[in-house]
Amino acid sequence: METTAMHIANGIVDGPVSAVFAVLAVAALAVCVRKARNDLDERLAPMAGLVAAFIFAVQMLNFQVLPGVSGHLLGGTLAVILVGPWVGAICVSTVLIVQCLLFADGGLTAIGLNITNMALLGTAAGYLLVAGLLRVLPRNAKGLAVTAFIASVVSVVVASQGFVLEYALGGTTDLSLPWVSGTMAGVHVLIGIGEGLIAATTVATVARVRPDLVYALRHFRKPAVVEQEVTA
């Protein structure tokens, strides 16, 4: 079987399932574009370009996992922390589309699968964890670094299991589903640790230098505490 440099190759998942996830990806990205309009401002727009460029660079580090499938850093959690979930999903999707069309990284018929796994599932999992962890951890550079590490590891594994679901629905090879799931999870835990270290270092550095550019510090807040005055 022909392998690809990154992502899911053509033919790993059958046509009907690939088409369904392509429609799902388009619909989800349309929602992201509409929601992102409320977030984009003079600070977030240039940061989004930098985040997309950084994700493109780190995704060049890839590791063969299965025939036709490779693992690599995703960048979804990093994007969520720096530019938010809606713009973050668009950044990752843009990178995936450029890689597919210009560099033949990932199959054209599998673009919906790749966007669903990496830009949607990975970013959504990262968002939920970041929003939750920042309600209990310190909202400073160290707390942000711990948040980025944990969320990166979990989101990468979640994205890898998205492929397992797609393979269960329309896989075209004779590999057993438990083996595929275990292999993808095991490899992506290690990839997630590497991504977590990179994301933690990056966001902590930005938070120390320009905390105003970190979306998570501006928007993910701790629950308000209602203080009651005690009157004599």
Side-chain angles (χ1 to χ4, degrees), residues 52-83:
F54 185 80
I55 292 173
F56 182 89
V58 298
Q59 283 197 5
M60 298 305 291
L61 300 172
N62 64 98
F63 318 91
Q64 197 66 38
V65 180
L66 300 171
V69 181
S70 62
H72 54 73
L73 306 180
L74 305 187
T77 295
L78 175 67
V80 165
I81 292 175
L82 293 179
V83 298

PDB file of all heavy atoms in Angstrom, residues 52-83:
ATOM      1  N   ALA A  52      -0.929  29.887  12.414  1.00  0.00           N
ATOM      2  CA  ALA A  52      -1.043  28.974  11.270  1.00  0.00           C
ATOM      3  C   ALA A  52       0.337  28.633  10.714  1.00  0.00           C
ATOM      4  O   ALA A  52       0.609  27.464  10.384  1.00  0.00           O
ATOM      5  CB  ALA A  52      -1.911  29.619  10.182  1.00  0.00           C
ATOM      6  N   ALA A  53       1.215  29.621  10.616  1.00  0.00           N
ATOM      7  CA  ALA A  53       2.568  29.369  10.115  1.00  0.00           C
ATOM      8  C   ALA A  53       3.342  28.455  11.053  1.00  0.00           C
ATOM      9  O   ALA A  53       4.066  27.550  10.608  1.00  0.00           O
ATOM     10  CB  ALA A  53       3.310  30.694   9.941  1.00  0.00           C
ATOM     11  N   PHE A  54       3.184  28.655  12.363  1.00  0.00           N
ATOM     12  CA  PHE A  54       3.874  27.821  13.338  1.00  0.00           C
ATOM     13  C   PHE A  54       3.374  26.385  13.276  1.00  0.00           C
ATOM     14  O   PHE A  54       4.164  25.429  13.309  1.00  0.00           O
ATOM     15  CB  PHE A  54       3.680  28.394  14.742  1.00  0.00           C
ATOM     16  CG  PHE A  54       4.448  27.669  15.800  1.00  0.00           C
ATOM     17  CD1 PHE A  54       5.797  27.918  15.989  1.00  0.00           C
ATOM     18  CD2 PHE A  54       3.835  26.734  16.614  1.00  0.00           C
ATOM     19  CE1 PHE A  54       6.519  27.251  16.966  1.00  0.00           C
ATOM     20  CE2 PHE A  54       4.536  26.062  17.594  1.00  0.00           C
ATOM     21  CZ  PHE A  54       5.893  26.318  17.769  1.00  0.00           C
ATOM     22  N   ILE A  55       2.050  26.210  13.172  1.00  0.00           N
ATOM     23  CA  ILE A  55       1.479  24.866  13.080  1.00  0.00           C
ATOM     24  C   ILE A  55       1.960  24.167  11.816  1.00  0.00           C
ATOM     25  O   ILE A  55       2.288  22.972  11.831  1.00  0.00           O
ATOM     26  CB  ILE A  55      -0.060  24.934  13.112  1.00  0.00           C
ATOM     27  CG1 ILE A  55      -0.532  25.393  14.497  1.00  0.00           C
ATOM     28  CG2 ILE A  55      -0.679  23.581  12.764  1.00  0.00           C
ATOM     29  CD1 ILE A  55      -2.020  25.643  14.580  1.00  0.00           C
ATOM     30  N   PHE A  56       2.009  24.903  10.716  1.00  0.00           N
ATOM     31  CA  PHE A  56       2.511  24.325   9.466  1.00  0.00           C
ATOM     32  C   PHE A  56       3.931  23.802   9.658  1.00  0.00           C
ATOM     33  O   PHE A  56       4.276  22.717   9.188  1.00  0.00           O
ATOM     34  CB  PHE A  56       2.481  25.374   8.364  1.00  0.00           C
ATOM     35  CG  PHE A  56       2.943  24.869   7.028  1.00  0.00           C
ATOM     36  CD1 PHE A  56       2.042  24.296   6.150  1.00  0.00           C
ATOM     37  CD2 PHE A  56       4.275  24.952   6.654  1.00  0.00           C
ATOM     38  CE1 PHE A  56       2.473  23.811   4.911  1.00  0.00           C
ATOM     39  CE2 PHE A  56       4.710  24.481   5.431  1.00  0.00           C
ATOM     40  CZ  PHE A  56       3.807  23.904   4.552  1.00  0.00           C
ATOM     41  N   ALA A  57       4.749  24.564  10.360  1.00  0.00           N
ATOM     42  CA  ALA A  57       6.142  24.166  10.556  1.00  0.00           C
ATOM     43  C   ALA A  57       6.256  22.922  11.435  1.00  0.00           C
ATOM     44  O   ALA A  57       6.980  21.973  11.099  1.00  0.00           O
ATOM     45  CB  ALA A  57       6.934  25.322  11.174  1.00  0.00           C
ATOM     46  N   VAL A  58       5.526  22.904  12.564  1.00  0.00           N
ATOM     47  CA  VAL A  58       5.672  21.762  13.475  1.00  0.00           C
ATOM     48  C   VAL A  58       5.052  20.489  12.897  1.00  0.00           C
ATOM     49  O   VAL A  58       5.456  19.385  13.247  1.00  0.00           O
ATOM     50  CB  VAL A  58       5.070  22.066  14.861  1.00  0.00           C
ATOM     51  CG1 VAL A  58       5.780  23.230  15.528  1.00  0.00           C
ATOM     52  CG2 VAL A  58       3.569  22.307  14.786  1.00  0.00           C
ATOM     53  N   GLN A  59       4.067  20.638  11.998  1.00  0.00           N
ATOM     54  CA  GLN A  59       3.470  19.448  11.399  1.00  0.00           C
ATOM     55  C   GLN A  59       4.391  18.787  10.377  1.00  0.00           C
ATOM     56  O   GLN A  59       4.106  17.689   9.901  1.00  0.00           O
ATOM     57  CB  GLN A  59       2.129  19.792  10.744  1.00  0.00           C
ATOM     58  CG  GLN A  59       1.010  19.967  11.740  1.00  0.00           C
ATOM     59  CD  GLN A  59      -0.366  19.889  11.104  1.00  0.00           C
ATOM     60  OE1 GLN A  59      -0.506  19.615   9.901  1.00  0.00           O
ATOM     61  NE2 GLN A  59      -1.400  20.101  11.886  1.00  0.00           N
ATOM     62  N   MET A  60       5.498  19.436  10.043  1.00  0.00           N
ATOM     63  CA  MET A  60       6.461  18.807   9.146  1.00  0.00           C
ATOM     64  C   MET A  60       7.200  17.657   9.831  1.00  0.00           C
ATOM     65  O   MET A  60       7.816  16.821   9.171  1.00  0.00           O
ATOM     66  CB  MET A  60       7.472  19.844   8.649  1.00  0.00           C
ATOM     67  CG  MET A  60       6.857  20.978   7.847  1.00  0.00           C
ATOM     68  SD  MET A  60       5.879  20.406   6.430  1.00  0.00           S
ATOM     69  CE  MET A  60       7.186  19.759   5.377  1.00  0.00           C
ATOM     70  N   LEU A  61       7.133  17.608  11.167  1.00  0.00           N
ATOM     71  CA  LEU A  61       7.710  16.481  11.906  1.00  0.00           C
ATOM     72  C   LEU A  61       6.658  15.386  11.983  1.00  0.00           C
ATOM     73  O   LEU A  61       5.656  15.527  12.675  1.00  0.00           O
ATOM     74  CB  LEU A  61       8.108  16.928  13.322  1.00  0.00           C
ATOM     75  CG  LEU A  61       9.136  18.058  13.416  1.00  0.00           C
ATOM     76  CD1 LEU A  61       9.278  18.510  14.864  1.00  0.00           C
ATOM     77  CD2 LEU A  61      10.482  17.584  12.875  1.00  0.00           C
ATOM     78  N   ASN A  62       6.836  14.308  11.237  1.00  0.00           N
ATOM     79  CA  ASN A  62       5.821  13.256  11.197  1.00  0.00           C
ATOM     80  C   ASN A  62       6.437  11.878  11.387  1.00  0.00           C
ATOM     81  O   ASN A  62       7.615  11.659  11.124  1.00  0.00           O
ATOM     82  CB  ASN A  62       5.022  13.318   9.891  1.00  0.00           C
ATOM     83  CG  ASN A  62       5.879  13.054   8.683  1.00  0.00           C
ATOM     84  OD1 ASN A  62       5.933  11.946   8.151  1.00  0.00           O
ATOM     85  ND2 ASN A  62       6.595  14.073   8.221  1.00  0.00           N
ATOM     86  N   PHE A  63       5.594  10.947  11.849  1.00  0.00           N
ATOM     87  CA  PHE A  63       6.038   9.604  12.193  1.00  0.00           C
ATOM     88  C   PHE A  63       5.048   8.597  11.613  1.00  0.00           C
ATOM     89  O   PHE A  63       3.841   8.714  11.816  1.00  0.00           O
ATOM     90  CB  PHE A  63       6.103   9.437  13.719  1.00  0.00           C
ATOM     91  CG  PHE A  63       6.684  10.623  14.429  1.00  0.00           C
ATOM     92  CD1 PHE A  63       5.863  11.656  14.882  1.00  0.00           C
ATOM     93  CD2 PHE A  63       8.044  10.733  14.630  1.00  0.00           C
ATOM     94  CE1 PHE A  63       6.383  12.762  15.527  1.00  0.00           C
ATOM     95  CE2 PHE A  63       8.585  11.842  15.276  1.00  0.00           C
ATOM     96  CZ  PHE A  63       7.748  12.847  15.724  1.00  0.00           C
ATOM     97  N   GLN A  64       5.569   7.600  10.890  1.00  0.00           N
ATOM     98  CA  GLN A  64       4.698   6.592  10.296  1.00  0.00           C
ATOM     99  C   GLN A  64       4.060   5.743  11.394  1.00  0.00           C
ATOM    100  O   GLN A  64       4.739   5.247  12.290  1.00  0.00           O
ATOM    101  CB  GLN A  64       5.486   5.695   9.349  1.00  0.00           C
ATOM    102  CG  GLN A  64       4.623   4.902   8.380  1.00  0.00           C
ATOM    103  CD  GLN A  64       3.899   5.812   7.401  1.00  0.00           C
ATOM    104  OE1 GLN A  64       4.432   6.802   6.937  1.00  0.00           O
ATOM    105  NE2 GLN A  64       2.654   5.483   7.099  1.00  0.00           N
ATOM    106  N   VAL A  65       2.720   5.608  11.358  1.00  0.00           N
ATOM    107  CA  VAL A  65       1.991   4.856  12.371  1.00  0.00           C
ATOM    108  C   VAL A  65       1.417   3.573  11.782  1.00  0.00           C
ATOM    109  O   VAL A  65       1.626   2.481  12.293  1.00  0.00           O
ATOM    110  CB  VAL A  65       0.850   5.712  12.959  1.00  0.00           C
ATOM    111  CG1 VAL A  65       0.083   4.919  14.011  1.00  0.00           C
ATOM    112  CG2 VAL A  65       1.413   6.990  13.567  1.00  0.00           C
ATOM    113  N   LEU A  66       0.671   3.729  10.676  1.00  0.00           N
ATOM    114  CA  LEU A  66       0.063   2.606   9.973  1.00  0.00           C
ATOM    115  C   LEU A  66       0.320   2.790   8.487  1.00  0.00           C
ATOM    116  O   LEU A  66       0.691   3.880   8.048  1.00  0.00           O
ATOM    117  CB  LEU A  66      -1.460   2.568  10.223  1.00  0.00           C
ATOM    118  CG  LEU A  66      -1.936   2.408  11.672  1.00  0.00           C
ATOM    119  CD1 LEU A  66      -3.443   2.610  11.736  1.00  0.00           C
ATOM    120  CD2 LEU A  66      -1.571   1.033  12.213  1.00  0.00           C
ATOM    121  N   PRO A  67       0.124   1.740   7.685  1.00  0.00           N
ATOM    122  CA  PRO A  67       0.252   1.916   6.236  1.00  0.00           C
ATOM    123  C   PRO A  67      -0.726   2.980   5.740  1.00  0.00           C
ATOM    124  O   PRO A  67      -1.929   2.857   5.898  1.00  0.00           O
ATOM    125  CB  PRO A  67      -0.115   0.530   5.674  1.00  0.00           C
ATOM    126  CG  PRO A  67       0.202  -0.412   6.778  1.00  0.00           C
ATOM    127  CD  PRO A  67      -0.131   0.326   8.043  1.00  0.00           C
ATOM    128  N   GLY A  68      -0.193   4.058   5.178  1.00  0.00           N
ATOM    129  CA  GLY A  68      -1.042   5.129   4.680  1.00  0.00           C
ATOM    130  C   GLY A  68      -1.453   6.150   5.713  1.00  0.00           C
ATOM    131  O   GLY A  68      -2.182   7.081   5.403  1.00  0.00           O
ATOM    132  N   VAL A  69      -1.011   5.973   6.949  1.00  0.00           N
ATOM    133  CA  VAL A  69      -1.382   6.898   8.022  1.00  0.00           C
ATOM    134  C   VAL A  69      -0.144   7.271   8.812  1.00  0.00           C
ATOM    135  O   VAL A  69       0.624   6.393   9.204  1.00  0.00           O
ATOM    136  CB  VAL A  69      -2.425   6.267   8.981  1.00  0.00           C
ATOM    137  CG1 VAL A  69      -2.802   7.263  10.069  1.00  0.00           C
ATOM    138  CG2 VAL A  69      -3.660   5.829   8.230  1.00  0.00           C
ATOM    139  N   SER A  70       0.058   8.567   9.038  1.00  0.00           N
ATOM    140  CA  SER A  70       1.203   9.016   9.828  1.00  0.00           C
ATOM    141  C   SER A  70       0.733   9.878  10.981  1.00  0.00           C
ATOM    142  O   SER A  70      -0.358  10.421  10.969  1.00  0.00           O
ATOM    143  CB  SER A  70       2.191   9.804   8.955  1.00  0.00           C
ATOM    144  OG  SER A  70       1.566  10.959   8.437  1.00  0.00           O
ATOM    145  N   GLY A  71       1.568   9.958  11.996  1.00  0.00           N
ATOM    146  CA  GLY A  71       1.258  10.791  13.145  1.00  0.00           C
ATOM    147  C   GLY A  71       2.208  11.964  13.199  1.00  0.00           C
ATOM    148  O   GLY A  71       3.360  11.864  12.774  1.00  0.00           O
ATOM    149  N   HIS A  72       1.731  13.093  13.711  1.00  0.00           N
ATOM    150  CA  HIS A  72       2.573  14.280  13.812  1.00  0.00           C
ATOM    151  C   HIS A  72       1.946  15.238  14.798  1.00  0.00           C
ATOM    152  O   HIS A  72       0.823  15.030  15.272  1.00  0.00           O
ATOM    153  CB  HIS A  72       2.742  14.955  12.452  1.00  0.00           C
ATOM    154  CG  HIS A  72       1.441  15.263  11.790  1.00  0.00           C
ATOM    155  ND1 HIS A  72       0.611  16.269  12.196  1.00  0.00           N
ATOM    156  CD2 HIS A  72       0.811  14.658  10.749  1.00  0.00           C
ATOM    157  CE1 HIS A  72      -0.467  16.293  11.439  1.00  0.00           C
ATOM    158  NE2 HIS A  72      -0.375  15.324  10.552  1.00  0.00           N
ATOM    159  N   LEU A  73       2.652  16.277  15.129  1.00  0.00           N
ATOM    160  CA  LEU A  73       2.112  17.294  16.008  1.00  0.00           C
ATOM    161  C   LEU A  73       0.897  17.947  15.342  1.00  0.00           C
ATOM    162  O   LEU A  73       0.880  18.130  14.123  1.00  0.00           O
ATOM    163  CB  LEU A  73       3.186  18.343  16.304  1.00  0.00           C
ATOM    164  CG  LEU A  73       4.514  17.804  16.858  1.00  0.00           C
ATOM    165  CD1 LEU A  73       5.484  18.955  17.098  1.00  0.00           C
ATOM    166  CD2 LEU A  73       4.313  17.011  18.127  1.00  0.00           C
ATOM    167  N   LEU A  74      -0.124  18.275  16.136  1.00  0.00           N
ATOM    168  CA  LEU A  74      -1.351  18.837  15.573  1.00  0.00           C
ATOM    169  C   LEU A  74      -1.452  20.350  15.756  1.00  0.00           C
ATOM    170  O   LEU A  74      -1.799  21.063  14.834  1.00  0.00           O
ATOM    171  CB  LEU A  74      -2.573  18.165  16.206  1.00  0.00           C
ATOM    172  CG  LEU A  74      -2.645  16.640  16.116  1.00  0.00           C
ATOM    173  CD1 LEU A  74      -3.982  16.150  16.642  1.00  0.00           C
ATOM    174  CD2 LEU A  74      -2.410  16.161  14.699  1.00  0.00           C
ATOM    175  N   GLY A  75      -1.212  20.828  16.950  1.00  0.00           N
ATOM    176  CA  GLY A  75      -1.252  22.266  17.185  1.00  0.00           C
ATOM    177  C   GLY A  75      -2.606  22.827  17.572  1.00  0.00           C
ATOM    178  O   GLY A  75      -2.748  24.041  17.738  1.00  0.00           O
ATOM    179  N   GLY A  76      -3.619  21.966  17.723  1.00  0.00           N
ATOM    180  CA  GLY A  76      -4.954  22.451  18.035  1.00  0.00           C
ATOM    181  C   GLY A  76      -5.039  23.167  19.375  1.00  0.00           C
ATOM    182  O   GLY A  76      -5.632  24.240  19.486  1.00  0.00           O
ATOM    183  N   THR A  77      -4.436  22.574  20.401  1.00  0.00           N
ATOM    184  CA  THR A  77      -4.473  23.187  21.730  1.00  0.00           C
ATOM    185  C   THR A  77      -3.706  24.503  21.756  1.00  0.00           C
ATOM    186  O   THR A  77      -4.146  25.493  22.353  1.00  0.00           O
ATOM    187  CB  THR A  77      -3.897  22.220  22.779  1.00  0.00           C
ATOM    188  OG1 THR A  77      -4.746  21.065  22.865  1.00  0.00           O
ATOM    189  CG2 THR A  77      -3.812  22.883  24.143  1.00  0.00           C
ATOM    190  N   LEU A  78      -2.563  24.521  21.108  1.00  0.00           N
ATOM    191  CA  LEU A  78      -1.790  25.756  21.013  1.00  0.00           C
ATOM    192  C   LEU A  78      -2.626  26.861  20.373  1.00  0.00           C
ATOM    193  O   LEU A  78      -2.644  28.015  20.845  1.00  0.00           O
ATOM    194  CB  LEU A  78      -0.524  25.515  20.196  1.00  0.00           C
ATOM    195  CG  LEU A  78       0.351  26.735  19.897  1.00  0.00           C
ATOM    196  CD1 LEU A  78       0.961  27.272  21.181  1.00  0.00           C
ATOM    197  CD2 LEU A  78       1.436  26.379  18.904  1.00  0.00           C
ATOM    198  N   ALA A  79      -3.337  26.513  19.297  1.00  0.00           N
ATOM    199  CA  ALA A  79      -4.181  27.494  18.608  1.00  0.00           C
ATOM    200  C   ALA A  79      -5.309  27.976  19.504  1.00  0.00           C
ATOM    201  O   ALA A  79      -5.631  29.176  19.530  1.00  0.00           O
ATOM    202  CB  ALA A  79      -4.733  26.883  17.322  1.00  0.00           C
ATOM    203  N   VAL A  80      -5.930  27.065  20.249  1.00  0.00           N
ATOM    204  CA  VAL A  80      -7.026  27.434  21.146  1.00  0.00           C
ATOM    205  C   VAL A  80      -6.558  28.451  22.180  1.00  0.00           C
ATOM    206  O   VAL A  80      -7.230  29.450  22.455  1.00  0.00           O
ATOM    207  CB  VAL A  80      -7.586  26.183  21.849  1.00  0.00           C
ATOM    208  CG1 VAL A  80      -8.448  26.578  23.047  1.00  0.00           C
ATOM    209  CG2 VAL A  80      -8.396  25.351  20.878  1.00  0.00           C
ATOM    210  N   ILE A  81      -5.387  28.197  22.756  1.00  0.00           N
ATOM    211  CA  ILE A  81      -4.884  29.083  23.813  1.00  0.00           C
ATOM    212  C   ILE A  81      -4.539  30.461  23.268  1.00  0.00           C
ATOM    213  O   ILE A  81      -4.812  31.483  23.899  1.00  0.00           O
ATOM    214  CB  ILE A  81      -3.658  28.450  24.490  1.00  0.00           C
ATOM    215  CG1 ILE A  81      -4.094  27.199  25.277  1.00  0.00           C
ATOM    216  CG2 ILE A  81      -2.964  29.439  25.416  1.00  0.00           C
ATOM    217  CD1 ILE A  81      -2.948  26.426  25.888  1.00  0.00           C
ATOM    218  N   LEU A  82      -3.964  30.516  22.078  1.00  0.00           N
ATOM    219  CA  LEU A  82      -3.491  31.793  21.547  1.00  0.00           C
ATOM    220  C   LEU A  82      -4.554  32.569  20.776  1.00  0.00           C
ATOM    221  O   LEU A  82      -4.581  33.808  20.844  1.00  0.00           O
ATOM    222  CB  LEU A  82      -2.270  31.568  20.648  1.00  0.00           C
ATOM    223  CG  LEU A  82      -1.003  31.067  21.355  1.00  0.00           C
ATOM    224  CD1 LEU A  82       0.123  30.874  20.351  1.00  0.00           C
ATOM    225  CD2 LEU A  82      -0.571  32.017  22.461  1.00  0.00           C
ATOM    226  N   VAL A  83      -5.427  31.880  20.031  1.00  0.00           N
ATOM    227  CA  VAL A  83      -6.399  32.608  19.198  1.00  0.00           C
ATOM    228  C   VAL A  83      -7.839  32.157  19.400  1.00  0.00           C
ATOM    229  O   VAL A  83      -8.735  32.663  18.726  1.00  0.00           O
ATOM    230  CB  VAL A  83      -6.012  32.505  17.692  1.00  0.00           C
ATOM    231  CG1 VAL A  83      -4.673  33.143  17.438  1.00  0.00           C
ATOM    232  CG2 VAL A  83      -6.007  31.052  17.218  1.00  0.00           C
TER     233      VAL A  83
END
